[in-house]
Amino acid sequence: MKSYECGVCGYVYDPAKGDPDNGIAPGVPFEDLPEGWTCPICGAEKDQFSPL
Amino acid sequence: MKDVFQAVQVTDHVYWVGAIDWDIRDFHGYTTPRGSTYNAYLILGDQIALLDTVKAPFMGEMMSRIASVVDPQKISVLISNHSELDHSGGLPAAVEAIRPGKVYASAVGVRTLQELFHGALEVLPLKDGDRLSLGNLNLTFLETRMLHWPDSMFSYLEEEALLFSQDAFGMHLASLDRFDDEMDPDVLKHEAATYFANILLPYAPLVTQLLARVGNLGLRLGIVAPDHGPIWRKDIPVILDAYGRWARQEPTRKAVVVYATMWHSTERMARALSEGLKAEGAEVRVMAMDHVHRSQVAYELLEAGALICGSPTLNNHLLPQMADVMTYLKGLKPRNLMGAAFGSYGWSGESVRQLNDILVEMKVEKVGEGIRVKHRPDAGVLADCYALGREIGERLRAKAAPAA
Ligand SMILES: Cc1cc2nc3c(=O)[nH]c(=O)nc-3n(C[C@H](O)[C@H](O)[C@H](O)COP(=O)(O)O)c2cc1C
Ligand SMILES: [Fe+2]
Ligand SMILES: [Fe+2]
């Protein structure tokens, strides 16, 4: 599973870690993040992310 | 003397050439009772560089200060560490007056300056870790994205161990003194904390990362020169430690009771809660939004362990001044808080539920389901409020450090 980086703030979504603070369990691939999930640091939408 | 506005020497080669805004009281919704400064810096190397400018109306003052040490035409490099208008507002006029060979910003800064000035400027991107030689002196750049804008970066002047930190480590404090050791440390602590709470808190995890990174790079920090307020040359460890502590958001036994009121019932509840909190040893702040500003609440909450909020119901909603402060606080993303809601109402009573919903969104650990009362609280309800205050006070004592 690929990590994705936010093009606005540089936050890296690592599927192995998920985003537990926002209800995303470890193991969820970036592609499967729900619509409406945004960068936990700056609020940018999914389409601002690119694969590392 | 050509002009009253003079530059202030910071190191052998660096001069402060900013502007003092004694009068500003509202900085995009953050109250600034002590005014502010916009700090721009001149580096007199073999090549001469200007770092950041000032808010547009203050350009005359900046240009005069520059002219007190050097002919502005001799500046060949302009660097924008942060493209917010309090630092970039004067950039187009500066470029016009100076005609430097090169204007630089971070890659994101190049885009932001384009979005602000629409092609009026030609700006070159600097990457994280890039170096720029001014002949005898060298600058290194560090991206500090989201601290506090996506474009933000630090510039480090190696030979003089001077870090230009843009908004980080800054504060809104107008003064003719330029250095931390010339000012009252209690005022600096208060204003630096207010700045952190209102501007940097949403990005606290990035502050922690940045401090670690600066530590790992082993940068010598002889001087830290922010874009607002004093230049740090003495208490650098103090401000770095404070940033580390504020970013960790470790709760203390301090409770902030924030409320608004129409006919004083919610106010009575707030007072009863505050007495209960104090009975268990909490340090308490009671803040009525009818009289205080949201940014003062943000300051008080910075080192707190509990947020207790109250509102009566007005036309099925929170009082607008409570919606204001709660929206603001939610955006600042304070962490590690416990809390509760309370309020008086007349017939439908939506406010406490609405406050509870906001506390949940803020990830505040709720103590109880909140206290609602129709019209005036009687002795029994006030005793309930007092008991809730005690319960929160007890929990604070169990989990949090004593308030500083
Ligand atoms: C303290 C602060 C925080 C900001 N936060 C955000 C943000 O979270 N998301 C965003 O898109 N823009 C953010 N901005 C940028 C503003 O929305 C932007 O400067 C906008 O152009 C201001 O519009 P105005 O000129 O009508 O005030 C922020 C600006 C400031 C000063
Ligand atoms: Fe800023
Ligand atoms: Fe600023």
Side-chain angles (χ1 to χ4, degrees):
Chain A
M1 283 187 291
K2 267 206 170 100
S3 291
Y4 278 70
E5 185 177 19
C6 173
V8 176
C9 74
Y11 163 83
V12 173
Y13 177 79
D14 175 357
K17 291 189 187 141
D19 178 14
D21 279 356
N22 296 295
I24 308 293
V28 177
F30 182 81
E31 297 74 19
D32 293 354
L33 288 170
E35 260 332 287
W37 179 86
T38 55
C39 174
I41 299 284
C42 75
E45 294 182 7
K46 268 181 84 176
D47 61 6
Q48 303 277 334
F49 280 70
S50 43
L52 280 180
Chain B
M1 178 186 276
K2 276 194 294 211
D3 200 295
V4 295
F5 294 123
Q6 303 284 306
V8 178
Q9 189 161 14
V10 179
T11 57
D12 283 350
H13 298 94
V14 175
Y15 288 78
W16 176 87
V17 290
I20 306 172
D21 190 347
W22 291 99
D23 297 331
I24 190 165
R25 290 294 179 272
D26 179 340
F27 206 106
H28 54 54
Y30 159 174
T31 188
T32 50
R34 292 188 165 101
S36 194
T37 67
Y38 313 109
N39 298 339
Y41 298 96
L42 196 62
I43 306 176
L44 299 185
D46 293 341
Q47 288 188 58
I48 298 176
L50 176 65
L51 275 79
D52 284 327
T53 62
V54 297
K55 214 168 159 177
F58 293 85
M59 275 303 282
E61 181 173 339
M62 184 191 87
M63 293 307 292
S64 297
R65 293 194 198 272
I66 293 173
S68 75
V69 281
V70 72
D71 172 3
Q73 301 286 329
K74 297 206 166 120
I75 297 172
S76 58
V77 177
L78 240 98
I79 295 162
S80 164
N81 278 325
H82 176 25
S83 55
E84 194 170 357
L85 288 166
D86 48 337
H87 312 295
S88 72
L91 207 52
V95 170
E96 187 76 27
I98 295 167
R99 304 239 152 258
K102 301 261 165 65
V103 183
Y104 294 101
S106 68
V108 184
V110 171
R111 284 212 305 272
T112 309
L113 292 171
Q114 162 65 18
E115 286 154 5
L116 284 166
F117 301 118
H118 309 293
L121 291 174
E122 198 182 314
V123 187
L124 300 166
L126 290 164
K127 286 194 308 296
D128 190 58
D130 273 359
R131 289 180 87 214
L132 185 73
S133 171
L134 303 174
N136 56 338
L137 301 172
N138 292 283
L139 284 162
T140 308
F141 304 95
L142 261 79
E143 278 189 354
T144 59
R145 284 205 214 173
M146 294 320 290
L147 293 174
H148 70 113
W149 270 20
D151 56 84
S152 302
M153 72 173 183
F154 284 178
S155 301
Y156 180 69
L157 185 62
E158 292 159 27
E159 290 76 6
E160 303 207 313
L162 195 161
L163 183 71
F164 298 98
S165 62
Q166 37 93 21
D167 280 344
F169 312 119
M171 69 188 77
H172 290 311
L173 175 58
S175 170
L176 282 159
D177 296 320
R178 289 277 66 80
F179 298 97
D180 62 334
D181 52 286
E182 301 170 323
M183 303 189 200
D184 178 347
D186 289 337
V187 172
L188 300 193
K189 181 163 179 270
H190 181 96
E191 293 302 340
T194 304
Y195 196 87
F196 188 98
N198 284 280
I199 302 293
L200 294 163
L201 189 61
Y203 309 107
L206 296 180
V207 173
T208 305
Q209 284 173 27
L210 176 68
L211 291 173
R213 185 164 175 224
V214 169
N216 291 338
L217 288 173
L219 295 186
R220 234 169 13 101
L221 296 181
I223 300 227
V224 174
D227 271 359
H228 300 285
I231 297 164
W232 301 94
R233 69 179 176 191
K234 173 170 160 277
D235 278 341
I236 294 173
V238 173
I239 187 68
L240 292 178
D241 276 5
Y243 264 53
R245 193 174 65 250
W246 294 329
R248 284 195 298 278
Q249 299 197 67
E250 283 157 6
T252 69
R253 288 174 205 161
K254 176 178 176 186
V256 179
V257 180
V258 51
Y259 73 96
T261 195
M262 294 184 283
W263 292 107
H264 304 289
S265 289
T266 305
E267 176 185 331
R268 286 178 197 189
M269 299 170 83
R271 297 297 305 274
L273 267 154
S274 68
E275 297 282 335
L277 284 157
K278 178 68 188 171
E280 292 299 332
E283 162 115 15
V284 188
R285 295 287 182 281
V286 177
M287 310 187 85
M289 293 318 296
D290 316 289
H291 306 290
V292 307
H293 193 273
R294 64 177 92 85
S295 48
Q296 294 168 308
V297 180
Y299 164 78
E300 293 294 352
L301 203 58
L302 181 60
E303 295 187 1
L307 168 64
I308 302 137
C309 47
S311 177
T313 299
L314 169 74
N315 302 328
N316 311 107
H317 283 84
L318 299 179
L319 281 189
Q321 59 272 43
M322 279 308 291
D324 172 315
V325 72
M326 296 306 288
T327 303
Y328 188 67
L329 294 178
K330 185 170 74 173
L332 294 175
K333 297 194 191 159
R335 289 291 174 262
N336 308 325
L337 291 170
M338 61 181 87
F342 63 96
S344 166
Y345 67 105
W347 48 93
S348 59
E350 289 88 343
S351 62
V352 170
R353 181 180 49 71
Q354 291 172 2
L355 286 171
N356 271 329
D357 290 348
I358 298 171
L359 290 177
V360 169
E361 282 185 76
M362 290 175 71
K363 305 188 203 300
V364 172
E365 176 193 328
K366 276 200 291 152
V367 180
E369 281 316 297
I371 300 181
R372 268 183 359 145
V373 65
K374 248 177 151 171
H375 293 294
R376 281 191 176 161
D378 63 9
V381 171
L382 292 177
D384 290 345
C385 292
Y386 185 88
L388 177 60
R390 283 191 64 163
E391 179 168 0
I392 295 172
E394 271 170 34
R395 291 197 194 198
L396 280 176
R397 209 171 41 199
K399 103 168 216 202

